[in-house]
Amino acid sequence: METQFLNTFVTVVDQGSMAAAARVLNVTPAAVAQQLRTLERELGATLIARVGRTVSVTEQGSRILERAREMLRAVADLRSVANDSAVSGELRLGACPTALAGMLPDVLARMVDAFPQINVFIKPGYSVDLYRAVEAGDLDAAVVLQAPFPLPKTCEWLLLREEPLIVLAPKSMAGRDPHELLATQPLIRYDRNQWGGRQADDYLRANGIVPRERFELNALNAIAVMVDRGLGVSLVPDWAQPWPEGLQLTRIPLPQPAVPRCIGIVWSRSSVRVRLVTVLLQESKKAMQAKSR
């Protein structure tokens, strides 16, 4: 079976049409249709239902979709293991929301510039879920918050960025006492069910601050917009830009010591794609060094 035909099938499913898949694969729509027909003949099953210009995956196609993805990753792994002269293959990477929008694009730009034969599959998610995926071998590495528990011996950790807690307030409140703001203004709370939110909650408790809670959510950019609209103040990590544009905010440092939110990379030492992980670590360090200048 031609693995390129499997790749065509997966691309058609992901793109939702043969024309879109053809643009991604840089072939004609007729070539896409021919490859699909050949694959369907070889498997003896209809994989794609064609409705006008759009397509949908059939029940038979759904059964093999994830297995096809796994086979394509395995082929990429073979390239990575066999190729001694160049770093190539697919890296399976997870990223928490703030890292995905802030730090990771700079790292990826460096990676693809220095190693153009690398492909990266990115899975967004919360840190706790991404740790499990790395430990289970579903991901090679993940850019996540530092875990509040010891890592298993199969995994390692690299710190990339420390983000101190700050009081985020409307610009008109610049210069005011941060504890006074937390005690008197409505609080837009960073979700206590998440690791970063627990650090903010610990600070409030340690300093005897009982806030007037109004909202609680795990979306830092949304919190920034809500503060800008005058809905309250927030106690959050000073997360990496980009932030939403046009906001009139002030970031007030805290007067008492606080545990910062730490972001870094967790990876599996047993991954067959250890060369790709090494490239990720190297380029991540360089990106963070460039930011600190």
Side-chain angles (χ1 to χ4, degrees):
M1 182 182 298
E2 173 59 57
T3 56
Q4 177 57 44
F5 295 173
L6 279 178
N7 184 54
T8 298
F9 164 61
V10 171
T11 304
V12 168
V13 174
D14 290 343
Q15 297 298 318
S17 76
M18 292 191 189
R23 288 192 292 271
V24 171
L25 297 170
N26 197 29
V27 297
T28 65
V32 169
Q34 179 60 44
Q35 290 176 14
L36 281 177
R37 285 194 294 269
T38 301
L39 181 61
E40 288 174 332
R41 282 199 304 271
E42 290 182 352
L43 294 176
T46 301
L47 306 177
I48 293 293
R50 300 157 179 84
V51 182
R53 295 184 178 181
T54 63
V55 298
S56 61
V57 63
T58 65
E59 182 180 351
Q60 296 96 324
S62 296
R63 291 181 194 145
I64 73 161
L65 180 59
E66 287 310 311
R67 186 67 63 86
R69 294 188 195 278
E70 292 172 4
M71 290 181 66
L72 292 171
R73 290 179 189 135
V75 170
D77 291 347
L78 288 175
R79 294 195 192 102
S80 181
V81 171
N83 192 333
D84 291 327
S85 61
V87 179
S88 63
E90 181 179 76
L91 176 70
R92 294 179 295 177
L93 180 64
C96 64
T98 51
L100 187 60
M103 301 164 51
L104 193 55
D106 289 337
V107 174
L108 295 177
R110 287 178 171 271
M111 284 184 62
V112 299
D113 183 58
F115 303 96
Q117 295 184 59
I118 291 179
N119 298 318
V120 185
F121 167 81
I122 303 173
K123 178 180 180 179
Y126 293 131
S127 293
V128 63
D129 299 322
L130 296 176
Y131 270 95
R132 294 194 192 105
V134 171
E135 186 177 356
D138 297 329
L139 295 174
D140 303 307
V143 185
V144 289
L145 306 186
Q146 187 173 23
F149 50 77
L151 292 181
K153 294 181 180 180
T154 56
C155 296
E156 292 194 36
W157 162 263
L158 172 69
L159 175 66
L160 294 180
R161 174 182 169 88
E162 290 189 345
E163 299 177 336
L165 288 175
I166 57 169
V167 172
L168 196 63
K171 194 171 184 179
S172 60
M173 297 181 181
R176 290 179 59 175
D177 179 82
H179 282 192
E180 181 263 332
L181 289 177
L182 291 171
T184 61
Q185 298 297 314
L187 180 69
I188 305 170
R189 186 187 279 275
Y190 187 25
D191 187 358
R192 284 167 288 189
N193 293 315
Q194 306 300 322
W195 295 339
R198 291 177 200 168
Q199 292 170 328
D201 187 57
D202 289 344
Y203 183 87
L204 293 172
R205 292 177 182 274
N207 290 276
I209 300 172
V210 181
R212 295 168 50 203
E213 296 185 33
R214 176 171 280 177
F215 306 101
E216 184 168 0
L217 67 159
N218 182 34
L220 291 174
N221 279 348
I223 289 175
V225 175
M226 294 166 76
V227 172
D228 176 71
R229 301 301 190 268
L231 295 175
V233 301
S234 191
L235 180 59
V236 291
D238 193 8
W239 73 95
Q241 295 183 356
W243 287 24
E245 294 184 3
L247 303 185
Q248 300 296 310
L249 302 173
T250 184
R251 297 146 63 204
I252 307 174
L254 297 174
Q256 298 298 324
V259 177
R261 187 176 78 156
C262 297
I263 297 182
I265 299 175
V266 63
W267 73 95
S268 171
R269 292 189 295 177
S270 61
S271 171
V272 297
R273 290 167 289 276
V274 65
R275 295 177 70 196
L276 303 185
V277 173
T278 300
V279 167
L280 170 68
L281 299 175
Q282 292 172 347
E283 298 307 319
S284 296
K285 291 177 185 177
K286 292 177 183 177
M288 294 304 103
Q289 290 169 357
K291 285 276 189 182
S292 63
R293 290 174 189 156

